[in-house]
Amino acid sequence: MNRPTLERLVPDYVRHFEAYIPSKPDAELMKLYGCSRLYRLNNNENPLGPPPLAQAVIKRFPPPGAAVYPSGDSYYLRKKLADQFGKHPDQFLVGNGANEAITFVIKAFCEKGDNIVTADKTFAVYEWVAQFSGFEARLVPLKDYGFDWQGMLEQIDQRTKILFVCNPNNPTGTYWNRVTMRAFLDAVGGRRIVVLDEAYFEFVDSDDFPDGMSLMNEYPNIVVFRTFSKMFGLAGLRIGYLVADPDVVDIIRRTCVVYSVNSLAQEAALAAVGDTEHIRRTRELVAEGKRFLSRELTGLGLHTVSGEGNYMMIKLPMSDTLVYRKLMAEGVMVRTMTGFRFPNYIRVTIARMEAMEAFVEALAKVVRRP
């Protein structure tokens, strides 16, 4: 059999796209770096895990249930989300993580020659999905570590279909307040889809943070993303959702792959919705961890970037990839930021105090070493 002629078969925009290479499993990394334990501070995971009711669902999930197809449209979860947020179930679409929801939206609205607009230093999946789907991603530089709303407006042309706003922004923690958000939405004027990625919404402390869902009646071009991966500790089950005006959802639904969300994820998420005690405990942990890190890192003479969310960026006096390797040897895994276009920065997840102390101790060794 002849080998396929890939040069002829593969679109140019796929051929030139650089694939993301995920890290190896923890056990392999521990062998590679010779460490006996590993603190995972690279993915903004919740160290408390899922809420207690969701944990109970996971423990008692019947093995025969794995042989049965899940609800194709996450029926009961959409109903509970609607009750929780005062919406109609048909306004929700559930995906295999919010990443799948990004793909749904781009496929629904973009065609050849179209573009999206977002920031240059933010969650990269908006840019990636657009590019490997053959659409232009227009990237606007951050301003004071935050999205530049006027700069985004200047990038809009007749072929702009979607504007992606990560609010609060990952990795900087900056956010648009209600005044800025309304100014931006008014300027867009309903002529484009505006995605508000609120993956870290439940971590937000600021009183002037705008809830995208509350703006939806006034601005029906808004699509809000939320996830169960961060606050609700279900990252390993991959489940997130979007909510929008019914007419907008009706369009996006046409690009959805049904049955992509497994039964265990749906049931665990169903149990997690509305657990305010879990949110309170997590936010306390994050607040304590941020106070500790700010104090200790200032003591080390390091500049930090921190806002909303369960993470913090740290500027280093050396290569972030070099520091990553040295921290791994100490059993601490962080996120290098060169890939986010922040060279010589790392991002660290706020975790339990034991992990925070281990991180500071290891980082101090690295930055003080001649």
Side-chain angles (χ1 to χ4, degrees):
M1 182 70 71
N2 294 330
R3 294 178 63 81
T5 52
L6 295 180
E7 287 296 312
R8 181 177 62 83
L9 295 174
V10 180
D12 191 59
Y13 51 81
V14 173
R15 188 180 308 121
H16 291 97
F17 186 81
E18 186 174 346
Y20 174 79
I21 308 297
S23 62
K24 294 180 176 178
D26 288 7
E28 299 302 315
L29 290 171
M30 289 168 67
K31 281 192 289 185
L32 180 64
Y33 287 95
C35 50
S36 57
R37 56 102 174 97
L38 187 61
Y39 291 109
R40 293 176 55 88
L41 304 178
N42 61 321
N43 278 338
N44 301 341
E45 295 153 345
N46 188 336
L48 299 184
L53 290 178
Q55 292 192 27
V57 165
I58 294 167
K59 287 177 182 172
R60 68 169 185 261
F61 186 78
V68 179
Y69 279 97
S71 167
D73 63 355
S74 305
Y75 180 89
Y76 290 114
L77 178 57
R78 289 189 300 107
K79 191 171 185 302
K80 186 158 185 179
L81 288 169
D83 291 342
Q84 176 73 18
F85 296 113
K87 306 284 185 191
H88 191 281
D90 287 347
Q91 291 185 258
F92 292 83
L93 289 175
V94 180
N96 187 263
N99 286 355
E100 191 177 49
I102 295 170
T103 305
F104 293 163
V105 174
I106 289 179
K107 285 183 176 177
F109 293 103
C110 291
E111 58 186 322
K112 185 177 180 181
D114 288 341
N115 66 73
I116 69 158
V117 177
T118 187
D120 64 339
K121 297 172 182 175
T122 185
F123 187 54
V125 177
Y126 325 127
E127 174 188 347
W128 293 348
V129 174
Q131 289 183 338
F132 64 57
S133 300
F135 310 122
E136 180 187 2
R138 297 186 172 184
L139 308 179
V140 179
L142 293 185
K143 196 172 185 179
D144 297 329
Y145 294 105
F147 270 59
D148 177 2
W149 69 278
Q150 292 171 315
M152 290 183 69
L153 293 173
E154 291 169 1
Q155 287 298 313
I156 293 174
D157 67 12
Q158 292 301 313
R159 300 306 301 267
T160 301
K161 292 290 184 65
I162 311 168
L163 302 123
F164 283 93
V165 181
C166 191
N167 206 44
N169 187 34
N170 171 19
T172 61
T174 53
Y175 68 95
W176 285 353
N177 61 23
R178 292 192 193 92
V179 172
T180 302
M181 182 64 74
R182 283 186 175 279
F184 179 75
L185 293 169
D186 287 339
V188 172
R191 292 181 290 275
R192 275 92 191 167
I193 296 296
V194 176
V195 171
L196 304 180
D197 186 345
E198 297 180 348
Y200 295 90
F201 177 83
E202 296 87 358
F203 292 92
V204 172
D205 291 317
S206 300
D207 293 334
D208 60 349
F209 186 88
D211 176 350
M213 287 198 208
S214 70
L215 296 169
M216 212 162 276
N217 290 337
E218 194 174 348
Y219 301 96
N221 58 324
I222 288 177
V223 177
V224 170
F225 289 169
R226 295 205 185 161
T227 181
F228 288 96
S229 296
K230 303 304 179 186
M231 175 58 79
F232 296 107
L234 296 175
L237 297 182
R238 309 305 299 130
I239 183 165
Y241 62 95
L242 64 80
V243 54
D245 179 85
D247 290 341
V248 174
V249 171
D250 183 56
I251 295 297
I252 299 172
R253 184 181 292 111
R254 302 172 197 204
T255 66
C256 291
V257 179
V258 295
Y259 301 110
S260 68
V261 183
N262 69 73
S263 300
L264 181 57
Q266 291 185 37
E267 293 192 22
L270 192 64
V273 171
D275 189 333
T276 55
E277 176 60 18
H278 178 76
I279 293 173
R280 184 193 65 76
R281 289 174 56 225
T282 302
R283 289 172 63 156
E284 282 186 359
L285 181 147
V286 170
E288 180 187 20
K290 281 185 175 177
R291 286 194 297 270
F292 172 78
L293 278 190
S294 296
R295 182 179 67 245
E296 296 297 320
L297 295 174
T298 299
L300 291 174
L302 297 174
H303 173 65
T304 60
V305 180
S306 178
E308 303 293 350
N310 61 335
Y311 47 85
M312 179 181 290
M313 278 207 320
I314 302 153
K315 189 172 192 315
L316 303 166
M318 58 187 73
S319 159
D320 53 340
T321 53
L322 174 63
V323 169
Y324 170 85
R325 292 196 296 272
K326 290 180 178 294
L327 290 178
M328 284 296 297
E330 300 288 336
V332 178
M333 182 159 53
V334 299
R335 174 73 70 177
T336 60
M337 287 284 99
T338 293
F340 275 75
R341 303 186 176 96
F342 275 111
N344 299 339
Y345 281 78
I346 56 173
R347 188 195 65 199
V348 60
T349 304
I350 309 300
R352 293 183 189 274
M353 196 51 65
E354 175 188 341
M356 296 289 87
E357 289 171 348
F359 165 68
V360 169
E361 182 179 349
L363 185 62
K365 286 184 186 177
V366 173
V367 299
R368 286 172 176 164
R369 193 173 293 162

